[in-house]
């Protein structure tokens, strides 16, 4: 019985359910013109993301070098040799360790500061728009522009050091191998924080007011209810914040390039993308550069998975 | 209550002070890094830094380059993005799900990681170094904007589309005369959202423009910062003047349209 029933159901005429909002409303009808409309975008995605991604893998497994356009050159397959070169390169290892330092500072700082400011802003009554605008301004501004001010502020005889007086670090912020990477990490935190504050602000709308009232009934203080209601309530947003902050770290280039004169002192603030640029383009070894890029993608994916495990125990 | 307000105020100071300092520094004759230097003295103010940076990197030319780069990306995103967003939201066709998943996937691939293959392809294989096309190509259609357009087209009531189809309108006609007029405000948001990307972009135009007269302002300014500035009379003043010119359009647009900007970033952020 059931066996014969099934095809009947499948072949039944499509009784159109009253069209739901937001769904294509034509039942099983097809509009092949959709494929046509989406073609430019698909060509773009394949041309700018799909093909280059595959090409990067290809380059990283070959002895690839720049040649005059149209010249026929032999670029033999070399297996993992580029990867061995990369992994044996102390500058590359240093740059990956630097990103580690960056993430250890940037990710917790971003999560804590943006949640704190978002929670305060969520309850603020006065000057809300002013605060939102001021937190967001660094995010919309070009890094190249604000890097100029930071150089001026954190110079050895800059404003920050003249305020600190005898407490000023020596060697100064951006030229000290211990402080250069942390200063870059703080800069990036400051620059991106507005975006994450807005993200948390949206997430806070979804935390039920009842939970706060219940917490008050149970005699929880302000800190306790923040810790027991707000923090768990915005966990999905926290997962996202941490993931995006990690991706930012993997993308790091402009800031070490400009703030610390190309990753100085002595490579202490060089990022993998910076090394990738130096090896791949400045020094003309795109195969090595591509291998660094592939390793970086793998690193980001592993880190993202690990963070999901740690933070994202969400429903 | 008071504590919260003070925290917020302190935060706002930390966020805004560098911008204030940027402006003051760009107007000072002599760089003054002391605490007093944060307060402008009338006798130390000048417009010379702007003249100096203009002489060094030709502000007009670099602003035009930034404008063409940004304009090209905006045009590509508007045309390609509206078509794709509409198709993904309102039309059924083979491969729709695949395109949608591809769009989401692309947004988690960090762009810098494609730098090397894109450089090899665009500069070496296609010979597009020092050209606007080469600059625009990798950013031609902004995926976040496509996603935003799709969300807005999705929110329109299905009955409108059914009615238009019953009347025999073609899909392109429906898109042009029904859908686009209804989502015009969203298109503005998409444009604003897309604007800050290419306007602020540094690495890619830096890689592919060696010719000075094709460099966008961000690239020209950074070159000044890393090379010329050491020899200039008041290098920081000139850098900060350039920084003000680079920051002004994005900050200005943001302040005027802050409502659109902010709601949008949240939506595009929350989608993951």
């Amino acid at each position: 019985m059931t066996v014969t029933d099934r095809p009947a159901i499948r072949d039944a005429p499509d009784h159109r359910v009253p069209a739901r909002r937001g769904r294509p409303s034509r039942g099983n009808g097809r509009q092949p013109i959709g494929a046509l409309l989406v073609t430019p975008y698909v060509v773009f995605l394949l041309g700018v993301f799909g093909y280059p991604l595959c090409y990067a893998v290809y380059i990283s497994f070959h002895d690839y070098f720049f040649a005059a356009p149209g010249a026929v050159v032999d670029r033999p397959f070399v297996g993992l040799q580029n990867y061995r070169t990369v992994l044996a390169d102390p500058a590359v290892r240093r740059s990956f360790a630097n990103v580690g330092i960056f993430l250890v500072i940037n990710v917790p700082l971003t999560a804590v500061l943006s949640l704190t400011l978002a929670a305060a802003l969520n309850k603020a009554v006065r000057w809300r728009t002013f605060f939102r605008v001021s937190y967001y301004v660094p995010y919309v501004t070009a890094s190249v522009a604000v890097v100029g001010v930071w150089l001026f502020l954190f110079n050895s005889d800059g404003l920050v050091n003249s305020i600190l007086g005898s407490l000023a670090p020596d060697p100064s912020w951006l030229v000290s191998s211990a402080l250069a990477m942390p200063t870059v990490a703080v800069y990036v935190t400051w620059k991106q924080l507005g975006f994450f504050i807005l993200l948390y602000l949206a997430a806070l709308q979804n935390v039920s007011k009842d939970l706060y009232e219940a917490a008050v009934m149970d005699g929880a203080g302000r800190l306790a209810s923040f810790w027991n209601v707000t923090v768990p309530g915005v966990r999905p947003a926290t997962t996202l914040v941490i993931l995006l902050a990690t991706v930012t770290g993997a993308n790091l280039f402009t800031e070490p390039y400009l703030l610390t004169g190309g990753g100085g002192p002595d490579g202490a603030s060089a990022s993998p993308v910076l090394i990738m640029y130096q090896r791949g383009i400045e020094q003309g070894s795109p195969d090595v550069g591509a291998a660094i890029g592939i390793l970086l993608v793998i690193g980001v994916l592993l880190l993202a998975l690990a963070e999901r495990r740690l933070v994202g125990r969400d429903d | 209550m008071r504590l919260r307000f003070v925290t917020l105020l302190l935060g706002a100071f930390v966020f805004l002070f560098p911008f204030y300092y940027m402006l003051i520094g760009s107007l000072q004759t002599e760089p003054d890094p002391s605490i007093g230097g944060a307060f402008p003295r009338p006798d130390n103010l000048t417009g010379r830094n702007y003249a100096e940076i203009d002489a060094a990197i030709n502000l007009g030319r670099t602003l035009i380059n930034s404008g063409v780069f940004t304009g090209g990306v905006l045009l590509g995103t508007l045309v390609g993005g509206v078509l794709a967003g509409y198709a993904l939201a309102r039309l059924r066709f083979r491969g729709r799900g695949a395109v949608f998943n591809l769009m989401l996937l692309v947004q988690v691939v960090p762009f810098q990681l494609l730098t090397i293959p894109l450089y090899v392809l665009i500069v070496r294989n296609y010979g597009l170094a020092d050209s606007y096309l080469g600059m625009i190509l990798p950013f031609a259609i902004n995926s976040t904007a496509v996603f935003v357009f799709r969300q807005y087209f999705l929110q329109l009531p299905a009955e409108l589309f059914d009615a238009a189809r019953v009347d025999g309108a073609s899909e392109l006609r429906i898109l042009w005369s029904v859908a686009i007029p209804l989502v015009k405000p969203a298109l503005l948001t998409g444009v604003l959202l897309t604007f800050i990307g290419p306007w602020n972009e540094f690495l890619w135009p830096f890689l592919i423009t060696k010719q000075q007269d094709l460099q966008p302002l961000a690239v020209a300014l950074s070159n000044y910062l890393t090379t010329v500035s050491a020899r200039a009379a008041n290098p920081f003043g000139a850098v900060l003047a350039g920084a003000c010119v680079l920051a002004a359009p994005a900050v200005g647009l943001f302040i005027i349209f802050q409502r659109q900007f902010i709601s949008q970033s949240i939506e595009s952020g929350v989608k993951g």
Side-chain angles (χ1 to χ4, degrees):
Chain A
M1 197 57 191
T2 45
V3 177
T4 47
D5 267 349
R6 271 183 200 144
I9 289 170
R10 204 190 293 145
D11 293 337
D14 177 40
H15 292 295
R16 201 159 75 202
V17 228
R20 276 168 298 168
R21 265 168 93 89
R23 290 281 163 160
S25 52
R26 201 170 263 190
N28 280 337
R30 298 256 171 203
Q31 292 124 335
I33 191 175
L36 192 69
L37 297 189
V38 100
T39 300
Y41 181 54
V42 171
V43 169
F44 168 77
L45 287 183
L46 293 179
V48 171
F49 287 91
Y51 182 55
L53 205 58
C54 301
Y55 199 44
V57 176
Y58 172 87
I59 293 175
S60 75
F61 282 109
H62 287 76
D63 180 14
Y64 201 103
F65 49 88
F66 294 131
V72 181
V73 284
D74 185 34
R75 288 164 170 149
F77 177 79
V78 293
L80 288 171
Q81 200 201 305
N82 291 317
Y83 290 90
R84 277 195 288 272
T85 310
V86 167
L87 292 172
D89 186 339
V92 175
R93 290 211 291 246
R94 180 80 206 248
S95 75
F96 275 91
N98 287 341
V99 150
I101 299 174
F102 175 91
L103 293 176
V104 163
I105 296 171
N106 173 269
V107 172
L109 205 60
T110 300
V112 170
L113 288 179
S114 53
L115 180 54
T116 311
L117 284 170
L121 192 53
N122 195 37
K123 299 215 180 101
V125 269
R126 276 181 296 165
W127 296 16
R128 276 179 72 98
T129 307
F130 166 75
F131 289 132
R132 292 209 310 190
V133 168
S134 37
Y135 296 159
Y136 206 55
V137 162
Y139 179 74
V140 298
T141 313
S143 212
V144 175
V146 270
V147 150
V149 202
W150 272 64
L151 280 172
F152 200 26
L153 284 167
F154 282 85
N155 217 355
S156 31
D157 53 359
L159 182 68
V160 171
N161 280 354
S162 42
I163 289 172
L164 287 175
S166 57
L167 291 173
D170 179 38
S172 190
W173 306 98
L174 293 164
V175 288
S176 141
S177 53
L179 288 174
M181 199 65 204
T183 312
V184 168
V186 170
Y187 168 83
V188 174
T189 309
W190 172 82
K191 173 95 172 54
Q192 307 285 342
L193 205 63
F195 175 76
F196 295 115
I197 290 174
L198 292 174
L199 223 153
Y200 268 130
L201 216 47
L204 284 170
Q205 309 303 316
N206 300 327
V207 182
S208 156
K209 297 262 184 305
D210 300 347
L211 287 175
Y212 287 105
E213 281 166 22
V216 172
M217 295 284 240
D218 292 348
R222 216 190 292 168
L223 254 178
S225 72
F226 179 78
W227 189 249
N228 294 316
V229 178
T230 310
V231 172
V234 296
R235 182 172 289 143
T238 304
T239 317
L240 185 61
V241 166
I242 289 178
L243 176 73
L244 292 177
T246 307
V247 173
T248 308
N251 269 318
L252 195 65
F253 172 81
T254 312
E255 294 77 11
Y257 179 78
L258 291 175
L259 272 177
T260 58
D266 201 22
S269 66
S271 67
V273 177
L274 188 74
I275 302 288
M276 186 171 95
Y277 157 72
Q278 288 172 345
R279 296 283 182 277
I281 294 167
E282 276 188 342
Q283 298 166 11
S285 308
D287 44 5
V288 174
I292 297 177
I294 304 283
L295 288 177
L296 196 51
V297 178
I298 295 171
V300 171
L301 289 178
L302 290 178
L303 211 56
L305 276 176
E307 287 169 351
R308 236 195 129 69
R309 284 246 156 145
L310 277 173
V311 193
R313 295 166 284 159
D314 49 22
D315 357 324
Chain B
M1 207 53 83
R2 180 96 358 127
L3 176 76
R4 186 182 301 136
F5 192 70
V6 170
T7 310
L8 288 171
L9 216 54
L10 200 72
F13 175 78
V14 171
F15 283 99
L16 290 181
F17 180 76
F19 288 88
Y20 164 80
Y21 205 56
M22 188 196 261
L23 192 64
I24 293 297
S26 78
L27 293 168
Q28 281 173 342
T29 323
E30 290 291 323
D32 183 355
S34 73
I35 299 165
F39 306 97
R41 281 189 334 242
D43 60 311
N44 194 23
L45 293 185
T46 175
R48 226 189 47 209
N49 294 322
Y50 287 86
E52 193 177 315
I53 193 73
D54 185 39
I57 64 175
N58 192 350
L59 287 178
R61 181 75 226 174
T62 52
L63 277 172
I64 289 175
N65 295 336
S66 289
V68 173
F69 175 29
T70 308
V73 173
L74 286 179
L75 187 71
T77 299
L78 266 181
V79 176
V82 163
L83 292 180
Y86 177 73
L88 288 173
R90 310 250 49 136
L91 302 174
R92 280 199 166 203
F93 54 92
R94 273 176 77 95
R96 186 175 65 128
V99 175
F100 184 68
N101 288 331
L102 199 63
M103 172 178 74
L104 294 183
L105 191 71
V106 158
Q107 299 192 46
V108 293
V109 178
F111 174 77
Q112 323 292 59
L113 308 180
L114 296 171
T115 305
I116 297 287
L118 279 175
Y119 180 83
V120 171
L121 287 170
I122 292 183
V123 174
R124 298 287 168 161
N125 295 3
Y126 308 150
L128 290 173
D130 285 314
S131 75
Y132 289 128
L133 185 62
M135 228 184 285
I136 293 166
L137 219 50
F139 304 94
I141 304 178
N142 182 322
S143 286
T144 309
V146 177
F147 186 84
V148 168
F149 293 156
R150 174 184 169 273
Q151 295 306 91
Y152 278 99
F153 284 127
L154 270 181
Q155 285 164 14
L156 299 175
E159 293 74 22
L160 267 176
F161 292 85
D162 292 339
R165 278 172 198 145
V166 169
D167 287 350
S170 72
E171 289 301 332
L172 273 178
R173 170 125 189 105
I174 297 174
L175 170 63
W176 187 252
S177 325
V178 179
I180 289 182
L182 287 171
V183 296
K184 255 188 198 151
L187 295 184
L188 171 70
T189 303
V191 167
L192 290 169
L193 183 80
T194 313
F195 173 86
I196 54 171
W199 188 266
N200 296 342
E201 174 64 26
F202 171 66
L203 178 57
W204 181 251
F206 165 72
L207 288 183
I208 78 155
T209 55
K210 294 297 162 229
Q211 240 169 280
Q212 270 210 331
D213 58 354
L214 271 163
Q215 287 170 348
L217 179 52
V219 176
L221 188 62
S222 80
N223 284 344
Y224 181 82
L225 194 72
T226 49
T227 56
V228 193
S229 68
R231 281 174 278 130
N234 178 3
F236 275 124
V239 165
L240 294 182
C244 286
V245 176
L246 177 60
V251 173
L253 277 179
F254 165 63
I255 289 173
I256 299 169
F257 295 107
Q258 56 103 359
R259 218 157 274 281
Q260 280 89 339
F261 255 107
I262 283 174
S263 63
Q264 211 42 69
S265 316
I266 289 172
E267 268 171 58
S268 52
V270 168
K271 104 272 152 178

